[in-house]
Structures are given as structure tokens and as C-alpha cells.
Amino acid sequence: MMFQANLHYLCMHITLDLPSEVDFSSKKRWHLAFATIYCSRAFEIKTSTKALHGAAYNPRKARHVSTDTIAIDVVQHHPFFSGIDQSNLSKLVKDKNIDKLANLGGVQGVAASLKSDTTDGVSGDSEDVARRHEAFGSNTYCKPPSKSFFIFVWESFKDPTIIILLLCASLSLGFGIKEHGLKEGWYDGGSIYVAVFLVIAVSSISNFRQNRQFDKLSKVSKNIPVEAVRKGRRQQISIFEIVVGDVICLKIGDQVPADGILVQGHSLQVDESSMTGESDHVAINLRQNPFLISGTKIADGYGMMLVTSVGMNTTWGEMMSQISSDSNEQTPLQERLNKLTTSIGKVGLLVAFLVLVVLLVRYFTGTTKDEYGNKEFNGSKTS
């Protein structure tokens, strides 16, 4: 019944844009042709389903049989760069697949697919850069949002010393009001509260300003100038302005700014310890290993590379996205200062506890006296 309904729906709803000269019989033949194709496809599906389930196939039970889902990975190419896509470029350098590079036509083939030139580089105009940003992204890395001022306030409130002071201020305020009344009893507790809130405010403002200054310093320190070839001329650009297809010049001491393929070079060796942990330098050459990974440093030689991946699409960007980039990690100086302040706090609490014990002993032994010279503690007579 479902097949008949679908066939009826097809015959009733198929419309063809035919010329006005085509008569009614021609249209009828077109409808018949489409219906025949549909019937044959439905018959093939029904036959294959029968063969799959065997001779005891029941169409009523077949509706309850779950079918496997086939996922098709559809790669969408940018209209201007239809010959290659970002995923293939990223895997090419990450896997260091020399055979795949040869299938793409070598460095020259990759450059042609990227609308670049291994000698003259890219044009570098605003329209070309915008197209490359749209297709392959920019050479920037995602970072967690900066902490707001209230987060620093909350972190200051969580300090154990602050918590103890707030508790003591509450007790002092309560006992002071009960003993001396509201008019004069709030002096001691209120003073402690004011001091605590001043400490929290100063500490939060200081940490907040330091965090903002550190972010600015980090942006300046990461903004490394690199030498690129655009329109056949060498020019210095920011590392954040690099796009896929750029030809970058490398020399000793330079950091590889993005993933890429060696175009030409001499005695080029790279320190990949930041990525692999191996201290041995890796030789980069056109025949065996022309792949350069972002984040590594040039240890010897010089060369020129064709950029294939930037930003979060690079090997370094993928690694950084998997690592939690929370800024809770402290420098050695901060760790030492925290240990020092913790030790001072512990010593202060110990001294305060000893003073409390001494005062209690002096009080209960009758050593302390009031302003009139009488003992403050006198057994059962002391209220």
C-alpha cells in the first residue's frame, strides 16, 4: 500500500518544464518514463531487502527492523580554492606523508592549488587576504576569557585569614552590642569589618590590574615580526597576519610561525623538542622530510617555507586546544610567595592561640583585675 501511495504521489506531483510545443501525449510519455524509473528502483530495494532477510521476510515486521546509518563525510571546498581543503593540508603536515605530497604534485602542486607561487608568494592585497581567512582561518589561537573583577574579589574572600577575621568581627560586633548597646558597641566589630573589606578591595584591584597588564604584555611578546614574500618582494609582517599560501623566510633562531612545506633551503635543522620532547635536531630537506611544524625553532641553516595551515588548524593549535589553558598555573616566584604568606599566617595563628591560652590562664587564676583593682574572676560570684 505504501508503494502504491508513493507511485500515485509521483504521478500526481511530477511537473516538467517543457516547451509549449510539446503536446499532451509527449507529456504523458515523460510521466510514464519517470514512473517506470521509480517502480524499478522500488522493486530493486524490495528485492534486496528480501534477499537480506531471507525467504521468511515479512514486510510488517520489516518496519520494526533497525537499519544501519551510513555517515558520509562531505568536504566543502571553498569556491576560490576548489582543488584542496584544509583537512587534507593539516593531515599532510601532521602525518608527514611524503607520498601524499607527491600525489598532490609536490610543493609546486600544493602552491598552485593555493593560488600561490613558491617564488613570488601571494598577492597580499586585502581581497586576497580576506578570501584566505575565510577559507583557512587566521593565524591566531583561542584563549580562555579574561577573569572579571568579581572573580578576584571572590578569590580574596576564600582566603582562610579573611574568613577567620570576618568570623571574629561578627563575634566582636555581637558581644559589643550586647554589652555596650548599639550606639557604642559596634566600634570594635565595625572596625574589623572595615579593615577586612579594605584588604579585599586593595588585593582584588591589584590582582585585576596585574592580570590586565599580563594580557597586554603577552600580546606584545607573541606579536613576532616575520619575513614573508608577497608580490615577489620580501617584507616584514606580523605573525598574526600570516595566511595560507604565504612564503616565509626562515633563519637560525626563528620560530616556525605555522605549519608548512619547505620550498628551498640549505642545511636546515629544526629543534622539535617543544612538540616531541626529543632533544635531537631534525634535518629538513626536500626529498625525505620537507615538513615544518609550528612552534618549533630553527637550529641551523636557512630556508623558505610554504604555509599550509595557520592558527588552530596547525599541529600546535590542535595540541593547545586539547590542553586546558586555565591560568591557574603559577610561576615559581608566585609559588614561593604563597608559601611565605601561608607560613606567616600559620605563625600568626599559633601566636594568637598562645596569647589566648595565656590570657585564659591568667583570668581563671585570678591574676587579672578590673579598673577598680578587683579580681575579674572570683569563682561562682563571677557572672
Side-chain angles (χ1 to χ4, degrees), residues 241-255:
E241 298 176 0
I242 294 176
V243 295
V244 172
D246 265 328
V247 176
I248 306 298
C249 304
L250 301 172
K251 58 183 182 299
I252 297 177
D254 286 349
Q255 178 180 341

Side-chain angles (χ1 to χ4, degrees), residues 193-208:
Y193 270 121
V194 171
V196 169
F197 286 124
L198 282 176
V199 170
I200 292 175
V202 172
S203 176
S204 302
I205 293 172
S206 176
N207 292 334
F208 180 73

Side-chain angles (χ1 to χ4, degrees), residues 144-147 152 155 211 214-215 324-331 334:
S146 301
K147 293 182 180 180
F152 290 102
E155 289 178 352
N211 185 67
F214 179 78
D215 288 342
S324 175
S325 55
D326 191 5
S327 57
N328 288 333
E329 186 178 356
Q330 296 179 344
T331 62
Q334 288 176 327

Side-chain angles (χ1 to χ4, degrees), residues 361-381:
V361 170
R362 284 172 55 83
Y363 175 76
F364 285 108
T365 55
T367 307
T368 58
K369 298 179 180 180
D370 58 12
E371 55 187 359
Y372 301 106
N374 302 321
K375 292 183 180 180
E376 290 184 333
F377 179 75
N378 193 9
S380 59
K381 296 182 180 180

Side-chain angles (χ1 to χ4, degrees), residues 81-100:
F81 306 99
S82 57
I84 200 164
D85 63 278
Q86 181 58 63
S87 60
N88 288 332
L89 289 172
S90 299
K91 291 179 181 179
L92 177 66
V93 178
K94 183 179 180 180
D95 300 338
K96 295 185 177 181
N97 195 334
I98 193 70
D99 295 331
K100 188 174 181 180

Side-chain angles (χ1 to χ4, degrees), residues 12-23:
M12 292 296 292
H13 291 82
I14 288 180
T15 59
L16 299 172
D17 296 331
L18 298 175
S20 57
E21 292 81 4
V22 180
D23 57 359

Side-chain angles (χ1 to χ4, degrees), residues 49 53 57-67:
T49 311
H53 291 81
Y57 172 75
N58 189 351
R60 292 184 180 179
K61 294 181 181 179
R63 282 182 288 183
H64 302 285
V65 178
S66 62
T67 58

